[in-house]
Amino acid sequence: MNRDDVGRDTEPSNGTGLWSMAAIALLAHLASTELHECFHLVVGRLAGLPCHFLSLTSVGVDPSVAANASPSALALMNGVAPLATMLLGVLALVAVPALRPKAGAAVTAFIAWFAIFGVAYIGLQMMTTAGPARLRGNGSDFAAVIGGYFGVPIVPRTAIAVAGLVIFMASGFYLSAAVSQGGGGSSRLTLGQHLHGLAAWRGVAAWVLGLNLIAISVRSAALLAHGNGGGMLLLFGDTWVWAALMALLVGWRAPGAREVRDRWIFPGLLTSAGLIAISLLTHLDDFFIGGTTLIVPLIAAAWTQTRVPQKTP
């Protein structure tokens, strides 16, 4: 039996519907974002800086303060929050399997979404390292610390940014604990089984996208290494090329992949629309980036969760 020929067998069993799951995802994203900013605020104040909220997604100091502040204090204000967000994301991912049989469905889903954001954030934050180094707290945290405080030149920072893209693309493969609902006794597909069930046209299209992914990454790196901000747009554009490539490689009607699609990706699309709408209303780029990258790791997660269909009598 071809894996794409499996019928629709089960309704979501995680206790949350499409809209409620989207609301939980949005709440988790906002909580993660504001907790991140609170880390900036608390650490900055402890370092002696009169920092405050510059916007809903930014904490920092006034330009006059930044011009005369201790560089180490500014580095602490900018640097601790992203590291804390990354650590909390990984801890949430580790905690999900233990919570799933004990906590309520909504609580488990909230922690799972928190993990999805936090794990993907590791790569996303690294990708911004080659951006402008704004020390007052209104720009990329890693650019401010690595470029502004430590004075790392643009070429090594570009290498970190490209490595961040690779880590972001790989993050979905590590989200099994967040999205897994149990395999019902069936085993996951091997690489050979994935490729064996793939239609020829999809394989060819995936190869074309893969070559474009490499070409765009090289072009992005070249622009960033010369201080051209357009390279950052290309780097983030690569995330959607990756999303399209992975979408071609996943057998969406197979068990596991279908469950990730219905329980996580579809609600994630609604959440993405909400984040983009908030961005358009508030003119805050952070929400736009979150909205346009939210579901990308989940497509790779669907690949990892794809299972061998159980044979019917």
Side-chain angles (χ1 to χ4, degrees):
M1 179 184 295
N2 186 288
R3 61 179 180 170
D4 282 341
D5 292 332
V6 182
R8 306 177 190 276
D9 51 4
T10 58
E11 292 297 322
S13 59
N14 61 357
T16 52
L18 177 67
W19 289 97
S20 58
M21 182 63 106
I24 291 169
L26 182 61
L27 181 61
H29 188 282
L30 294 175
S32 178
T33 300
E34 296 314 309
L35 182 59
H36 175 96
E37 298 308 324
C38 286
F39 275 116
H40 281 306
L41 184 68
V42 171
V43 173
R45 293 284 178 87
L46 290 175
L49 296 172
C51 52
H52 55 91
F53 274 86
L54 304 174
S55 70
L56 188 61
T57 62
S58 178
V59 165
V61 295
D62 295 331
S64 59
V65 174
N68 299 290
S70 163
S72 60
L74 291 171
L76 283 171
M77 179 188 71
N78 283 289
V80 172
L83 296 177
T85 299
M86 294 173 188
L87 178 60
L88 289 176
V90 173
L91 290 176
L93 182 64
V94 173
V96 169
L99 288 173
R100 185 163 278 124
K102 301 175 183 178
V107 172
T108 304
F110 180 90
I111 300 300
W113 280 110
F114 199 95
I116 291 167
F117 303 142
V119 172
Y121 173 82
I122 298 172
L124 287 174
Q125 181 60 232
M126 290 177 63
M127 287 168 63
T128 64
T129 304
R134 301 186 182 119
L135 302 181
R136 62 180 290 241
N138 62 337
S140 163
D141 296 329
F142 270 22
V145 176
I146 297 174
Y149 179 71
F150 288 106
V152 175
I154 188 62
V155 171
R157 286 164 53 200
T158 295
I160 295 173
V162 174
L165 173 65
V166 175
I167 291 173
F168 174 76
M169 292 189 299
S171 65
F173 296 115
Y174 297 94
L175 292 175
S176 294
V179 302
S180 176
Q181 300 294 329
S186 57
S187 60
R188 295 178 187 173
L189 294 182
T190 65
L191 176 60
Q193 288 172 319
H194 274 289
L195 298 179
H196 179 72
L198 190 67
W201 72 268
R202 293 172 71 177
V204 172
W207 271 107
V208 172
L209 286 174
L211 292 174
N212 275 276
L213 182 67
I214 295 171
I216 294 171
S217 298
V218 171
R219 177 60 177 165
S220 171
L223 291 174
L224 288 173
H226 288 86
N228 189 323
M232 192 63 66
L233 293 175
L234 286 178
L235 198 65
F236 276 95
D238 259 343
T239 63
W240 274 99
V241 178
W242 170 251
L245 188 159
M246 287 305 304
L248 287 168
L249 296 178
V250 175
W252 290 105
R253 287 188 287 179
R258 183 174 66 250
E259 293 161 11
V260 173
R261 180 196 65 193
D262 295 345
R263 297 171 181 168
W264 301 96
I265 293 178
F266 284 167
L269 286 170
L270 292 176
T271 303
S272 293
L275 290 170
I276 292 171
I278 293 173
S279 173
L280 293 175
L281 291 172
T282 61
H283 306 288
L284 296 174
D285 292 340
D286 288 341
F287 287 131
F288 184 81
I289 293 173
T292 54
T293 58
L294 173 62
I295 68 160
V296 175
L298 293 175
I299 301 175
W303 162 281
T304 68
Q305 291 297 297
T306 307
R307 301 192 297 269
V308 177
Q310 292 182 334
K311 295 181 179 180
T312 56

